[in-house]
Amino acid sequence: MTSRAGHGAGRVESTQINVERAVRNRLYGERSELTVAPLARRAVPARQSAELLGGRYRLLSLIGAGGMTNVYCARDELLRRRVAVKILAEPLASDPRCLRQFRREAELWAGLVHPLIVAVFDAGAVPRPFIVMELVPGMNAGALARGPRPPPCDRAIAIVAQVAEAIAFAHEHNVIHGDVSPGNVLIRRSDGAAKLTDFGLACRSGEKAPNFGGDVAGTYGYIAPEVLRGETVTSLSDLYSLGALAYRLLAGPPEPHLRRLADARPGLPAGVAEAVDRALEHDSHARQSSVAEFVAQLRPADRPAARLPRREA
């Protein structure tokens, strides 16, 4: 559900129906971090591992799977390093809509060079469409959120602040991520940095979100109401999703923002619950004006800022 008590009971039921329809559609039915357990690495079949994607990338193990794509750990035989390779599922490679969106993902994502965004190294179509990315050892924020208790408040806010910086950078380049959710935030093991990944639903501000067969695609509980209504997507749509991510990390499982955050987790620092609840308003004009404003409200002035990796020149 993408609303809370007191934010329009009539809209709650309608939104829930639309979200559940999106969750169950044939392409993105496995995107929900609420219903899919972490994927254990599996060896790649000999036939696939024998292939060299683009003449240089050898698949080693499956590390992520969705309704539309699979992600593998692979070895770059030219540079002798390990990378992540995202491959469009074989049945969809001949679908013009899926192929067009996959190519657009690579184009939009590759233009976003930032230390808190997973880097894109290469893309190709031989023997099937693929995107080569930075391999980030660690876990995703979904695994953190599924723990027996929420992470410490400061830790959760630090993660959200880093994701916000990545989103703000994308917005500066007129790119809307479209699927900000725990499963698309990688927590690097070496230093705990949060890195935004998976631009499979990315588009430009003012466009309508990508859809397949008329269904809205995305992750249950993180899709902005205006996206579900079929309206154009803006930076405030990503802000809603970021607010849902903050709620999930701060309140813990199992319910995604069914009630106000202060009720779900009493004792939060002043202003934190109010900032998150405002980001989750159904009316986009009632939200903060940007992710930067949201983070400024989320992190009190007397609280130390999240330590972010240095941005390279």
Side-chain angles (χ1 to χ4, degrees), residues 10-299:
R11 288 175 294 181
V12 172
E13 182 178 358
S14 175
T15 300
Q16 182 179 21
I17 292 171
N18 288 333
V19 173
E20 290 176 350
R21 183 182 299 122
V23 170
R24 292 187 176 93
N25 82 61
R26 66 183 179 87
L27 292 178
Y28 283 85
E30 295 185 31
R31 296 184 70 89
S32 172
E33 60 89 19
L34 297 177
T35 58
V36 179
L39 183 70
R41 296 198 180 203
R42 298 200 297 269
V44 177
R47 178 185 63 83
Q48 285 184 288
S49 62
E51 296 177 344
L52 278 180
L53 295 176
R56 63 186 283 189
Y57 305 107
R58 189 179 305 281
L59 304 183
L60 300 176
S61 60
L62 179 66
I63 56 177
M68 189 174 180
T69 61
N70 294 321
V71 179
Y72 296 86
C73 174
R75 182 170 63 248
D76 181 344
E77 299 287 16
L78 180 62
L79 298 180
R80 304 293 180 183
R81 64 176 179 177
R82 294 203 172 191
V83 294
V85 177
K86 182 177 185 179
I87 300 178
L88 188 62
E90 290 186 11
L92 304 177
S94 58
D95 185 320
R97 294 170 303 175
C98 297
L99 187 58
R100 184 167 54 249
Q101 181 60 27
F102 191 76
R103 288 171 174 167
R104 194 171 195 218
E105 174 186 8
E107 177 186 346
L108 294 178
W109 192 353
L112 301 175
V113 181
H114 188 280
L116 296 176
I117 296 176
V118 171
V120 169
F121 298 143
D122 195 4
V126 179
R128 50 189 182 275
F130 65 90
I131 300 172
V132 182
M133 309 167 290
E134 168 190 9
L135 183 65
V136 181
M139 64 178 179
N140 65 40
L144 187 64
R146 282 190 294 269
R149 61 181 60 85
C153 180
D154 286 352
R155 175 64 175 141
I157 291 176
I159 291 172
V160 172
Q162 291 178 77
V163 176
E165 182 176 335
I167 295 171
F169 182 82
H171 292 173
E172 290 171 5
H173 291 75
N174 195 31
V175 175
I176 306 302
H177 184 277
D179 195 17
V180 179
S181 59
N184 290 334
V185 175
L186 303 181
I187 310 298
R188 190 164 55 196
R189 183 182 303 119
S190 61
D191 60 2
K195 302 191 62 130
L196 184 63
T197 189
D198 196 345
F199 283 72
L201 299 181
C203 63
R204 299 291 187 186
S205 180
E207 297 178 347
K208 289 193 175 181
N211 69 78
F212 303 88
D215 286 333
V216 174
T219 303
Y220 172 78
Y222 300 87
I223 309 171
E226 62 270 18
V227 177
L228 292 172
R229 294 192 295 264
E231 299 170 8
T232 57
V233 175
T234 71
S235 61
L236 298 182
S237 305
D238 274 351
L239 171 59
Y240 179 94
S241 302
L242 182 64
L245 171 67
Y247 188 105
R248 185 76 161 91
L249 290 174
L250 287 165
E255 299 172 337
H257 46 281
L258 298 182
R259 49 185 176 157
R260 291 188 176 276
L261 181 55
D263 297 326
R265 186 175 177 181
L268 290 171
V272 169
E274 290 86 349
V276 173
D277 285 330
R278 184 179 171 191
L280 289 169
E281 288 288 349
H282 268 226
D283 181 356
S284 63
H285 297 96
R287 300 169 200 157
Q288 294 87 348
S289 62
S290 66
V291 295
E293 182 185 351
F294 168 62
V295 171
Q297 294 179 1
L298 187 67
R299 192 169 53 211

